[in-house]
Amino acid sequence: MTVVELDERLRALRGAAAETAGELRAHAMDLDADPHGTGPHLKTAAFDLIRRCTTPERFGGEPLRVGPFGYSTGSSLDTLVWMVELAHGDAGMVLAAPGPSLTGILVDQLGDDGQQEWFHRAVADGATWAFFAVTEPGRGSDAAGMETALRREDSGLYRLHGTKRYIGNGARGAVGVVFARTGSGPLSIRAALVEAADPGFDGRALPMVGLRGAALAEIRLDGVAVPEERLLARHLPPTRRGLWGAVRVFNTVRPQVAALAVGTGLACVDLVRAERPGAPGLDEVAARLEACRDLVYRAGAALDRDRDDGRLPSQAKIAAVAAAREAARWAVRSLGPAAQADHPLLEKWTRDVNAFEFMEGTSDIQRLHVARALVRGGGRTGGQP
């Protein structure tokens, strides 16, 4: 196993992100109480860092600079380095940041030049959220069971009908992508760019227990108009349209979920270290999380080499989520019966760590991805998202 050694450039990025952790924690409880009251949080340094690291310069972005080093969009390893540190502050705040989110990854994979420019300029102001609508009630992200329909009305217009559920930013996002079927076959699934202001679009916030900053919602689509130019991957062959792009997005996002989990676990360790130095198990819990951090970095480096390589992303998510959940339980045990009452952030983090399991596929799903890769004798997971 090769450990990823961060070079001077990445160490500078890690340090810049780490400096924002305290500010994120200062905002975390207010956001948890009111996930849609994001106005007071928009000027945080971490949100500015995320905006600079996710908005392409050619579409109005301002690249992040730390000393002599510059950082552009597109590198998974870069993203994971700053994401662990921001989650060390608070993962819920990271998920509440406006910007391109998952949709930006998909648009960069499947969008033509005009679609990329339209989307990225729409979310480049630092106060606009994007949604990524795949999952459905009773279906999850099972592509074979997807029921949302994209029906052709005339030669240049389609309409969306259906319901999506558990969609991050679904009620506060202004623009995003919706996956739907144009027919019954496996190649009929398409991704359409949609604006929340369009007639027939209805986003409703859902009650949440953990990671409330993600602002999950249900989206109801009643004849939402989709001009043909808003269908992603029109310029690509049918095999490289809907599902192919979704799989690549999930491969990219799984280590990001792992990074959020690692950061949250390290935050729990920090709290115990401050309140009870030398607590039994502290070194072991911290070492396990650091090992998961390295696995996250290795997953990012693998994705930068091959966007279709999903084995390490799946492994990183399995390991990091388990380590973070155990770290939270250990922290509560270490600080005593009143730990969660005495430390509101710890109570919040014990809720948050359980949510990571269900983001971008449960651990059992990730094990299936890894097993398929091993059976095929390669590193790619392939398959359905």
Side-chain angles (χ1 to χ4, degrees):
M1 184 186 305
T2 303
V3 174
V4 174
E5 296 288 349
L6 300 187
D7 59 20
E8 188 177 356
R9 173 182 170 276
L10 288 174
R11 290 197 300 272
L13 176 61
R14 177 175 170 176
E19 290 177 0
T20 70
E23 182 186 26
L24 287 177
R25 290 185 190 179
H27 286 257
M29 295 308 300
D30 287 342
L31 179 77
D32 189 64
D34 182 11
H36 292 273
T38 53
H41 317 300
L42 292 180
K43 299 299 183 181
T44 60
F47 280 16
D48 181 64
L49 184 149
I50 293 172
R51 179 179 61 83
R52 291 172 180 269
C53 290
T54 57
T55 304
E57 184 176 6
R58 67 186 186 279
F59 300 133
E62 305 170 53
L64 178 70
R65 294 201 64 85
V66 181
F69 304 110
Y71 305 88
S72 57
T73 60
S75 167
S76 285
L77 180 55
D78 284 12
T79 298
L80 296 170
V81 167
W82 60 253
M83 191 168 284
V84 171
E85 302 310 320
L86 298 191
H88 200 168
D90 184 73
M93 282 289 293
V94 176
L95 292 173
S101 190
L102 281 71
T103 303
I105 301 171
L106 185 74
V107 171
D108 290 344
Q109 296 283 342
L110 300 186
D112 58 32
D113 290 344
Q115 291 167 336
Q116 291 180 21
E117 180 165 6
W118 179 84
F119 171 76
H120 281 293
R121 290 194 182 281
V123 297
D125 62 357
T128 301
W129 288 261
F131 52 84
F132 186 82
V134 177
T135 55
E136 297 184 356
R139 302 289 184 178
S141 57
D142 174 23
M146 188 177 293
E147 296 180 344
T148 300
L150 182 66
R151 299 170 185 160
R152 184 187 290 272
E153 186 167 280
D154 58 42
S155 60
L157 184 69
Y158 292 77
R159 290 194 181 273
L160 278 167
H161 299 267
T163 300
K164 299 293 187 178
R165 187 176 291 170
Y166 310 122
I167 309 304
N169 301 318
R172 69 183 174 202
V175 63
V177 68
V178 175
F179 282 80
R181 285 188 172 278
T182 60
S184 59
L187 299 181
S188 68
I189 295 175
R190 299 296 301 272
L193 288 167
V194 175
E195 293 183 85
D198 290 339
F201 185 102
D202 182 18
R204 304 182 181 189
L206 296 173
M208 297 180 65
V209 174
L211 286 179
R212 289 172 175 162
L216 298 186
E218 178 176 276
I219 296 176
R220 300 179 184 180
L221 305 153
D222 184 12
V224 175
V226 180
E228 189 168 14
E229 60 267 23
R230 295 284 174 84
L231 291 182
L232 294 175
R234 292 185 304 149
H235 59 300
L236 298 177
T239 55
R240 294 295 179 110
R241 289 180 178 173
L243 287 183
W244 178 78
V247 169
R248 280 192 156 199
V249 170
F250 289 131
N251 282 349
T252 302
V253 173
R254 281 171 188 140
Q256 294 182 14
V257 177
L260 296 173
V262 169
T264 303
L266 290 171
C268 294
V269 170
D270 281 354
L271 181 59
V272 174
R273 185 179 284 122
E275 296 292 325
R276 193 183 171 193
L282 190 152
D283 290 342
E284 291 81 359
V285 172
R288 182 180 179 188
L289 288 165
E290 289 297 340
C292 288
R293 186 208 297 264
D294 180 68
L295 181 56
V296 167
Y297 289 170
R298 291 197 294 122
L303 284 171
D304 285 340
R305 292 190 297 269
D306 181 359
R307 289 290 165 184
D308 295 314
D309 184 352
R311 180 177 54 86
L312 277 173
S314 290
Q315 291 177 331
K317 184 176 185 293
I318 294 168
V321 169
R325 294 175 74 178
E326 178 52 37
R329 290 192 290 264
W330 163 81
V332 171
R333 294 194 303 269
S334 298
L335 296 178
Q340 295 186 63
D342 291 341
H343 303 285
L345 274 173
L346 178 59
E347 188 276 330
K348 175 189 181 300
W349 292 332
T350 59
R351 288 186 276 114
D352 289 350
V353 293
N354 291 303
F356 296 129
E357 171 67 13
F358 302 98
M359 295 175 66
E360 315 312 330
T362 65
S363 293
D364 284 343
I365 295 297
Q366 305 310 321
R367 292 185 184 97
L368 288 172
H369 290 328
V370 174
R372 279 201 293 265
L374 293 174
V375 168
R376 291 170 180 169
R380 299 180 180 183
T381 61
Q384 301 294 324

